[in-house]
Amino acid sequence: MTDNRNEMPPSLWAATAPAPPETAALAGGASADICVIGAGYTGLSAALTAAEAGAKVVVIEAAAIGWGASGRNNGQVIPTLSRMDPDEIAASGGAKGEEFVGLIRDSASLVFDLIRKHDMDAEAVQNGWIQPAHRESRMAVAAKRVEAWGKRGAPVSLLDRAAMARLTGTDHWHGGWTNRSGGRINPLGYARGLARAAISAGATIFTHTPAEAIARDGAKWVVTTPNGRVVADRVIIATNAYSTDLWPGFREEVIPVRSYQMATAPLTDNVRKSVLPEGHALSDTRGDLYFFRFDANGRLITGGALALGFDWENRIRERIGRRVAAVYPQVGVPKFDYVWWGYIGATADKAPHVHELAPGVTGWNGCNGRGVALATAIGRELGRQATGTPWSDIPLPLSPVRPIPAYGFAKRIAPAAILDRRWRDGRD
Ligand SMILES: Cc1cc2nc3c(=O)[nH]c(=O)nc-3n(C[C@H](O)[C@H](O)[C@H](O)COP(=O)(O)OP(=O)(O)OC[C@H]3O[C@@H](n4cnc5c(N)ncnc54)[C@H](O)[C@@H]3O)c2cc1C
């Protein structure tokens, strides 16, 4: 698969999402209250929020709407971070820690509320997200998560082995927990729905328009593009794992790690009924994550990681084909109709980093694999901040940009970390 900005990478979502709203490239000058760079969930959620508040918003996107992680992900709407638990998030966020936990707790419902409010065609199902425990010892982790989220008012519960087997259709797992506010969506459908909503609220989106530089000009910011420029009071950098060199150190704060995704041919009705019978989305406790969900047509969507990128398509088909057969013997080794990949933005401490880069310029990095709900929620807050809500009322902890030392080397060796995670997965 190419990563060509001129076309949407082929994927199940590119084949099934409703068409995007019509957009064009920027030619000439534009002015705005707010220039948003990047049309994924962060940028589009920020644009929608700011446009609804009455601001003149211009979004510029290097490729197409949802071309980055937002159009390629697994579509699991998960109101947690991947590694950090609530107590840790609260402690690391200082004075804003608990407020940030609250934002994450409510983030899945935010996504589904937006989909309902704007009548988006995004195959949304809010029936709960499940995290099964892959070893008996991980049930303690599940119990800790249920306690920590439960005490903060999240709709969570612990699932014993029998309950997990009933919900997943396999006895592969030892139990686990569920958050009933989670669910699944067609991720590209959602990105395009957000774009439509933002345009209806008055925002303008220019696609195939990469920002090449951001510079101060008196009281304004000037964002330069190949055939034009946007002059704005404020800039929101919403480029995440697909960042280019727009702001010193920003790109080097996050390592783009490939996550491979694949969708089977539609399963037969009989088999379909025996796998995830209530249609849940799940991601288990492994570091080399096992994750499964269905789309609206009964295709099982899963995927995984590879330590090395050579011959990736054959190798991921084989690895994940074997995995599906081991977890779901009733499916066997499936035929995959679609295989694709995207970059997950990994920070060194596995935490999201939100920044005020300069007066009037904000951005964030580091979804660490859980960003459908998180990017929507952070984007909304950056949109509120850009339209006058003071930082004191924004539930985001701010931090300085912290580039990863020896970035080039760290980026090259990052995929090999999966070997360490697999090793840990086999231990208590
Ligand atoms: C394969 C995969 C599976 C995932 N699965 C899940 C999941 O199931 N659940 C979950 O919660 N999270 C998941 N994630 C994470 C989630 O998709 C991301 O966290 C989220 O989409 C990030 O949104 P974003 O808007 O911040 O960034 P993106 O969607 O990556 O958008 C950034 C945009 O910025 C544009 N851009 C970059 N540089 C420039 C520039 N100079 N000028 C203009 N535009 C620019 C890019 O073209 C891109 O469109 C997954 C991610 C991947 C890659």
Side-chain angles (χ1 to χ4, degrees):
M1 187 181 86
T2 59
D3 225 8
N4 177 351
R5 281 181 167 170
N6 292 322
E7 57 189 53
M8 226 25 229
S11 70
L12 170 65
W13 310 127
T16 58
E22 259 186 49
T23 52
L26 174 66
S31 67
D33 298 321
I34 303 164
C35 176
V36 176
I37 304 175
Y41 304 141
T42 302
L44 295 167
S45 169
L48 171 61
T49 305
E52 281 181 335
K56 184 174 179 201
V57 181
V58 166
V59 180
I60 55 172
E61 161 57 49
I65 291 160
W67 180 87
S70 298
R72 312 179 191 209
N73 65 68
N74 199 257
Q76 299 201 17
V77 187
I78 308 173
T80 70
L81 300 187
S82 52
R83 297 291 172 84
M84 295 170 84
D85 287 329
D87 293 348
E88 234 178 315
I89 303 167
S92 75
K96 292 283 178 173
E98 276 300 339
E99 287 178 46
F100 190 43
V101 173
L103 172 135
I104 296 166
R105 177 199 58 216
D106 299 337
S107 58
S109 286
L110 170 67
V111 170
F112 291 108
D113 287 348
L114 282 169
I115 290 172
R116 283 187 284 264
K117 176 176 172 195
H118 297 282
D119 198 18
M120 296 180 202
D121 185 0
E123 295 177 28
V125 182
Q126 188 177 18
N127 61 344
W129 170 77
I130 297 175
Q131 185 169 51
H134 75 283
R135 292 176 74 81
E136 184 62 45
S137 60
R138 300 306 198 274
M139 283 304 289
V141 176
K144 199 175 129 214
R145 289 180 177 162
V146 166
E147 194 198 334
W149 281 115
K151 124 178 148 197
R152 290 168 170 99
V156 292
S157 37
L158 201 60
L159 300 168
D160 65 14
R161 188 167 193 140
M164 186 57 79
R166 191 173 50 73
L167 288 181
T168 58
T170 169
D171 61 5
H172 178 80
W173 288 291
H174 295 259
W177 67 288
T178 180
N179 184 320
R180 290 183 297 284
S181 72
R184 59 185 162 88
I185 54 169
N186 177 321
L188 183 59
Y190 174 51
R192 289 175 173 172
L194 274 177
R196 275 187 195 285
I199 291 169
S200 297
T204 306
I205 302 177
F206 294 106
T207 45
H208 302 289
T209 303
E212 294 180 327
I214 307 172
R216 212 28 158 168
D217 183 6
K220 303 275 185 187
W221 290 99
V222 179
V223 180
T224 312
T225 70
N227 297 308
R229 53 188 230 146
V230 183
V231 180
D233 297 324
R234 291 168 180 273
V235 176
I236 297 174
I237 303 181
T239 52
N240 231 312
Y242 287 83
S243 289
T244 52
D245 284 321
L246 276 181
W247 198 271
F250 187 76
R251 182 175 69 92
E252 291 80 11
E253 195 177 39
V254 68
I255 299 210
V257 182
R258 277 191 194 193
S259 167
Y260 298 92
Q261 302 287 311
M262 44 228 295
T264 66
L267 303 186
T268 61
D269 277 356
N270 264 351
V271 177
R272 167 76 191 85
K273 275 188 245 155
S274 72
V275 175
L276 292 167
E278 294 179 25
H280 288 93
L282 75 79
S283 311
D284 77 0
T285 47
R286 288 177 169 91
D288 182 13
L289 204 64
Y290 282 27
F291 53 91
F292 297 98
R293 57 157 292 185
F294 277 105
D295 79 344
N297 298 312
R299 296 178 188 276
L300 190 61
I301 311 164
T302 179
L306 293 172
L308 296 168
F310 74 92
D311 193 24
W312 63 270
E313 187 167 341
N314 287 325
R315 289 170 55 237
I316 201 76
R317 279 178 187 274
E318 200 195 313
R319 169 176 274 279
I320 303 303
R322 273 190 275 120
R323 177 181 295 178
V324 172
V327 176
Y328 288 111
Q330 65 270 48
V331 176
V333 176
K335 174 178 175 293
F336 291 107
D337 282 353
Y338 298 92
V339 183
W340 69 100
W341 61 268
Y343 283 130
I344 277 170
T347 45
D349 59 2
K350 307 294 172 218
H353 300 177
V354 186
H355 307 300
E356 182 171 40
L357 298 158
V361 184
T362 59
W364 82 283
N365 260 328
C367 75
N368 293 287
R370 296 263 162 90
V372 172
L374 184 68
T376 306
I378 293 181
R380 178 188 61 179
E381 296 308 322
L382 296 182
R384 289 178 65 224
Q385 194 276 331
T387 45
T389 305
W391 278 116
S392 55
D393 293 343
I394 299 287
L396 300 174
L398 294 178
S399 59
V401 174
R402 277 168 287 163
I404 293 170
Y407 182 72
F409 179 67
K411 199 166 138 180
R412 271 201 302 282
I413 62 163
I418 194 68
L419 301 176
D420 176 57
R421 291 207 291 277
R422 280 181 201 146
W423 185 83
R424 285 172 200 274
D425 286 342
R427 272 150 193 85
D428 295 325

PDB file of all heavy atoms in Angstrom, residues 69-91:
ATOM      1  N   ALA A  69      -4.606   8.817  10.502  1.00  0.00           N
ATOM      2  CA  ALA A  69      -5.091   7.730  11.358  1.00  0.00           C
ATOM      3  C   ALA A  69      -6.618   7.706  11.436  1.00  0.00           C
ATOM      4  O   ALA A  69      -7.226   6.635  11.568  1.00  0.00           O
ATOM      5  CB  ALA A  69      -4.503   7.881  12.757  1.00  0.00           C
ATOM      6  N   SER A  70      -7.252   8.877  11.309  1.00  0.00           N
ATOM      7  CA  SER A  70      -8.707   8.929  11.507  1.00  0.00           C
ATOM      8  C   SER A  70      -9.493   8.149  10.459  1.00  0.00           C
ATOM      9  O   SER A  70     -10.604   7.705  10.738  1.00  0.00           O
ATOM     10  CB  SER A  70      -9.181  10.390  11.539  1.00  0.00           C
ATOM     11  OG  SER A  70      -8.585  11.071  12.627  1.00  0.00           O
ATOM     12  N   GLY A  71      -8.924   7.959   9.275  1.00  0.00           N
ATOM     13  CA  GLY A  71      -9.642   7.187   8.257  1.00  0.00           C
ATOM     14  C   GLY A  71      -9.177   5.751   8.149  1.00  0.00           C
ATOM     15  O   GLY A  71      -9.685   4.995   7.314  1.00  0.00           O
ATOM     16  N   ARG A  72      -8.219   5.346   8.988  1.00  0.00           N
ATOM     17  CA  ARG A  72      -7.631   4.001   8.804  1.00  0.00           C
ATOM     18  C   ARG A  72      -7.739   3.128  10.032  1.00  0.00           C
ATOM     19  O   ARG A  72      -7.245   1.997  10.035  1.00  0.00           O
ATOM     20  CB  ARG A  72      -6.132   4.142   8.517  1.00  0.00           C
ATOM     21  CG  ARG A  72      -5.782   5.146   7.461  1.00  0.00           C
ATOM     22  CD  ARG A  72      -4.280   5.205   7.309  1.00  0.00           C
ATOM     23  NE  ARG A  72      -3.887   6.331   6.487  1.00  0.00           N
ATOM     24  CZ  ARG A  72      -2.806   6.353   5.734  1.00  0.00           C
ATOM     25  NH1 ARG A  72      -2.005   5.310   5.699  1.00  0.00           N
ATOM     26  NH2 ARG A  72      -2.510   7.418   5.020  1.00  0.00           N
ATOM     27  N   ASN A  73      -8.315   3.646  11.116  1.00  0.00           N
ATOM     28  CA  ASN A  73      -8.224   2.912  12.387  1.00  0.00           C
ATOM     29  C   ASN A  73      -9.249   1.790  12.481  1.00  0.00           C
ATOM     30  O   ASN A  73     -10.019   1.549  11.560  1.00  0.00           O
ATOM     31  CB  ASN A  73      -8.293   3.898  13.562  1.00  0.00           C
ATOM     32  CG  ASN A  73      -9.624   4.595  13.639  1.00  0.00           C
ATOM     33  OD1 ASN A  73     -10.638   3.986  13.924  1.00  0.00           O
ATOM     34  ND2 ASN A  73      -9.626   5.903  13.355  1.00  0.00           N
ATOM     35  N   ASN A  74      -9.266   1.121  13.640  1.00  0.00           N
ATOM     36  CA  ASN A  74     -10.175  -0.012  13.829  1.00  0.00           C
ATOM     37  C   ASN A  74     -11.592   0.434  14.202  1.00  0.00           C
ATOM     38  O   ASN A  74     -12.504  -0.392  14.265  1.00  0.00           O
ATOM     39  CB  ASN A  74      -9.591  -0.961  14.889  1.00  0.00           C
ATOM     40  CG  ASN A  74     -10.198  -2.341  14.839  1.00  0.00           C
ATOM     41  OD1 ASN A  74     -11.049  -2.682  15.666  1.00  0.00           O
ATOM     42  ND2 ASN A  74      -9.816  -3.135  13.855  1.00  0.00           N
ATOM     43  N   GLY A  75     -11.746   1.702  14.504  1.00  0.00           N
ATOM     44  CA  GLY A  75     -13.089   2.206  14.791  1.00  0.00           C
ATOM     45  C   GLY A  75     -13.643   1.793  16.138  1.00  0.00           C
ATOM     46  O   GLY A  75     -14.854   1.820  16.357  1.00  0.00           O
ATOM     47  N   GLN A  76     -12.769   1.421  17.077  1.00  0.00           N
ATOM     48  CA  GLN A  76     -13.238   1.110  18.429  1.00  0.00           C
ATOM     49  C   GLN A  76     -13.267   2.419  19.221  1.00  0.00           C
ATOM     50  O   GLN A  76     -12.261   3.130  19.288  1.00  0.00           O
ATOM     51  CB  GLN A  76     -12.305   0.108  19.108  1.00  0.00           C
ATOM     52  CG  GLN A  76     -12.230  -1.205  18.356  1.00  0.00           C
ATOM     53  CD  GLN A  76     -11.761  -2.370  19.216  1.00  0.00           C
ATOM     54  OE1 GLN A  76     -11.768  -2.316  20.435  1.00  0.00           O
ATOM     55  NE2 GLN A  76     -11.360  -3.443  18.551  1.00  0.00           N
ATOM     56  N   VAL A  77     -14.401   2.719  19.771  1.00  0.00           N
ATOM     57  CA  VAL A  77     -14.559   3.978  20.514  1.00  0.00           C
ATOM     58  C   VAL A  77     -14.352   3.649  21.993  1.00  0.00           C
ATOM     59  O   VAL A  77     -15.204   3.020  22.625  1.00  0.00           O
ATOM     60  CB  VAL A  77     -15.941   4.592  20.258  1.00  0.00           C
ATOM     61  CG1 VAL A  77     -16.028   5.976  20.888  1.00  0.00           C
ATOM     62  CG2 VAL A  77     -16.217   4.683  18.758  1.00  0.00           C
ATOM     63  N   ILE A  78     -13.194   4.065  22.515  1.00  0.00           N
ATOM     64  CA  ILE A  78     -12.732   3.556  23.807  1.00  0.00           C
ATOM     65  C   ILE A  78     -12.443   4.731  24.751  1.00  0.00           C
ATOM     66  O   ILE A  78     -11.533   5.517  24.492  1.00  0.00           O
ATOM     67  CB  ILE A  78     -11.424   2.737  23.618  1.00  0.00           C
ATOM     68  CG1 ILE A  78     -11.601   1.672  22.537  1.00  0.00           C
ATOM     69  CG2 ILE A  78     -10.987   2.120  24.941  1.00  0.00           C
ATOM     70  CD1 ILE A  78     -10.313   0.930  22.178  1.00  0.00           C
ATOM     71  N   PRO A  79     -13.187   4.815  25.849  1.00  0.00           N
ATOM     72  CA  PRO A  79     -12.970   5.946  26.755  1.00  0.00           C
ATOM     73  C   PRO A  79     -11.904   5.665  27.821  1.00  0.00           C
ATOM     74  O   PRO A  79     -12.140   5.831  29.016  1.00  0.00           O
ATOM     75  CB  PRO A  79     -14.353   6.137  27.389  1.00  0.00           C
ATOM     76  CG  PRO A  79     -14.938   4.768  27.383  1.00  0.00           C
ATOM     77  CD  PRO A  79     -14.356   4.014  26.231  1.00  0.00           C
ATOM     78  N   THR A  80     -10.731   5.217  27.384  1.00  0.00           N
ATOM     79  CA  THR A  80      -9.581   5.045  28.292  1.00  0.00           C
ATOM     80  C   THR A  80      -8.320   5.334  27.488  1.00  0.00           C
ATOM     81  O   THR A  80      -8.354   5.332  26.260  1.00  0.00           O
ATOM     82  CB  THR A  80      -9.433   3.593  28.810  1.00  0.00           C
ATOM     83  OG1 THR A  80      -9.016   2.753  27.725  1.00  0.00           O
ATOM     84  CG2 THR A  80     -10.716   3.047  29.387  1.00  0.00           C
ATOM     85  N   LEU A  81      -7.196   5.526  28.181  1.00  0.00           N
ATOM     86  CA  LEU A  81      -5.911   5.553  27.481  1.00  0.00           C
ATOM     87  C   LEU A  81      -5.422   4.120  27.340  1.00  0.00           C
ATOM     88  O   LEU A  81      -5.927   3.207  27.994  1.00  0.00           O
ATOM     89  CB  LEU A  81      -4.894   6.386  28.264  1.00  0.00           C
ATOM     90  CG  LEU A  81      -5.245   7.860  28.503  1.00  0.00           C
ATOM     91  CD1 LEU A  81      -4.071   8.600  29.138  1.00  0.00           C
ATOM     92  CD2 LEU A  81      -5.653   8.559  27.220  1.00  0.00           C
ATOM     93  N   SER A  82      -4.392   3.907  26.491  1.00  0.00           N
ATOM     94  CA  SER A  82      -3.954   2.531  26.258  1.00  0.00           C
ATOM     95  C   SER A  82      -3.152   1.975  27.430  1.00  0.00           C
ATOM     96  O   SER A  82      -3.299   0.824  27.798  1.00  0.00           O
ATOM     97  CB  SER A  82      -3.150   2.434  24.967  1.00  0.00           C
ATOM     98  OG  SER A  82      -2.113   3.377  24.966  1.00  0.00           O
ATOM     99  N   ARG A  83      -2.308   2.788  28.027  1.00  0.00           N
ATOM    100  CA  ARG A  83      -1.451   2.262  29.094  1.00  0.00           C
ATOM    101  C   ARG A  83      -1.787   2.824  30.466  1.00  0.00           C
ATOM    102  O   ARG A  83      -1.748   2.132  31.470  1.00  0.00           O
ATOM    103  CB  ARG A  83       0.014   2.572  28.799  1.00  0.00           C
ATOM    104  CG  ARG A  83       0.559   1.927  27.555  1.00  0.00           C
ATOM    105  CD  ARG A  83       0.674   0.410  27.734  1.00  0.00           C
ATOM    106  NE  ARG A  83       1.014  -0.210  26.480  1.00  0.00           N
ATOM    107  CZ  ARG A  83       2.249  -0.313  26.023  1.00  0.00           C
ATOM    108  NH1 ARG A  83       3.248   0.134  26.727  1.00  0.00           N
ATOM    109  NH2 ARG A  83       2.487  -0.880  24.845  1.00  0.00           N
ATOM    110  N   MET A  84      -2.061   4.144  30.497  1.00  0.00           N
ATOM    111  CA  MET A  84      -2.210   4.790  31.805  1.00  0.00           C
ATOM    112  C   MET A  84      -3.621   4.595  32.355  1.00  0.00           C
ATOM    113  O   MET A  84      -4.603   4.759  31.647  1.00  0.00           O
ATOM    114  CB  MET A  84      -1.910   6.281  31.681  1.00  0.00           C
ATOM    115  CG  MET A  84      -0.474   6.565  31.311  1.00  0.00           C
ATOM    116  SD  MET A  84      -0.270   8.297  30.905  1.00  0.00           S
ATOM    117  CE  MET A  84      -0.061   9.006  32.520  1.00  0.00           C
ATOM    118  N   ASP A  85      -3.687   4.279  33.644  1.00  0.00           N
ATOM    119  CA  ASP A  85      -4.972   4.148  34.318  1.00  0.00           C
ATOM    120  C   ASP A  85      -5.322   5.454  35.027  1.00  0.00           C
ATOM    121  O   ASP A  85      -4.464   6.312  35.201  1.00  0.00           O
ATOM    122  CB  ASP A  85      -4.911   2.953  35.274  1.00  0.00           C
ATOM    123  CG  ASP A  85      -4.949   1.656  34.482  1.00  0.00           C
ATOM    124  OD1 ASP A  85      -5.579   1.649  33.413  1.00  0.00           O
ATOM    125  OD2 ASP A  85      -4.333   0.669  34.906  1.00  0.00           O
ATOM    126  N   PRO A  86      -6.592   5.598  35.456  1.00  0.00           N
ATOM    127  CA  PRO A  86      -7.050   6.896  35.971  1.00  0.00           C
ATOM    128  C   PRO A  86      -6.166   7.506  37.061  1.00  0.00           C
ATOM    129  O   PRO A  86      -5.884   8.706  37.008  1.00  0.00           O
ATOM    130  CB  PRO A  86      -8.452   6.589  36.500  1.00  0.00           C
ATOM    131  CG  PRO A  86      -8.904   5.440  35.686  1.00  0.00           C
ATOM    132  CD  PRO A  86      -7.701   4.628  35.368  1.00  0.00           C
ATOM    133  N   ASP A  87      -5.728   6.709  38.021  1.00  0.00           N
ATOM    134  CA  ASP A  87      -4.931   7.293  39.113  1.00  0.00           C
ATOM    135  C   ASP A  87      -3.630   7.880  38.561  1.00  0.00           C
ATOM    136  O   ASP A  87      -3.183   8.946  38.981  1.00  0.00           O
ATOM    137  CB  ASP A  87      -4.617   6.244  40.191  1.00  0.00           C
ATOM    138  CG  ASP A  87      -5.880   5.807  40.925  1.00  0.00           C
ATOM    139  OD1 ASP A  87      -6.920   6.475  40.762  1.00  0.00           O
ATOM    140  OD2 ASP A  87      -5.823   4.790  41.643  1.00  0.00           O
ATOM    141  N   GLU A  88      -3.039   7.163  37.613  1.00  0.00           N
ATOM    142  CA  GLU A  88      -1.783   7.617  37.003  1.00  0.00           C
ATOM    143  C   GLU A  88      -2.017   8.885  36.160  1.00  0.00           C
ATOM    144  O   GLU A  88      -1.215   9.815  36.193  1.00  0.00           O
ATOM    145  CB  GLU A  88      -1.343   6.516  36.047  1.00  0.00           C
ATOM    146  CG  GLU A  88       0.035   5.988  36.242  1.00  0.00           C
ATOM    147  CD  GLU A  88       0.251   4.882  35.223  1.00  0.00           C
ATOM    148  OE1 GLU A  88      -0.646   4.015  35.042  1.00  0.00           O
ATOM    149  OE2 GLU A  88       1.323   4.901  34.597  1.00  0.00           O
ATOM    150  N   ILE A  89      -3.115   8.890  35.407  1.00  0.00           N
ATOM    151  CA  ILE A  89      -3.428  10.062  34.572  1.00  0.00           C
ATOM    152  C   ILE A  89      -3.649  11.267  35.488  1.00  0.00           C
ATOM    153  O   ILE A  89      -3.141  12.357  35.245  1.00  0.00           O
ATOM    154  CB  ILE A  89      -4.705   9.827  33.720  1.00  0.00           C
ATOM    155  CG1 ILE A  89      -4.562   8.598  32.840  1.00  0.00           C
ATOM    156  CG2 ILE A  89      -5.021  11.055  32.866  1.00  0.00           C
ATOM    157  CD1 ILE A  89      -5.869   8.113  32.210  1.00  0.00           C
ATOM    158  N   ALA A  90      -4.388  11.039  36.573  1.00  0.00           N
ATOM    159  CA  ALA A  90      -4.689  12.124  37.501  1.00  0.00           C
ATOM    160  C   ALA A  90      -3.403  12.662  38.117  1.00  0.00           C
ATOM    161  O   ALA A  90      -3.197  13.873  38.195  1.00  0.00           O
ATOM    162  CB  ALA A  90      -5.644  11.638  38.591  1.00  0.00           C
ATOM    163  N   ALA A  91      -2.516  11.748  38.520  1.00  0.00           N
ATOM    164  CA  ALA A  91      -1.275  12.186  39.178  1.00  0.00           C
ATOM    165  C   ALA A  91      -0.377  12.931  38.195  1.00  0.00           C
ATOM    166  O   ALA A  91       0.210  13.956  38.532  1.00  0.00           O
ATOM    167  CB  ALA A  91      -0.555  10.976  39.756  1.00  0.00           C
TER     168      ALA A  91
END
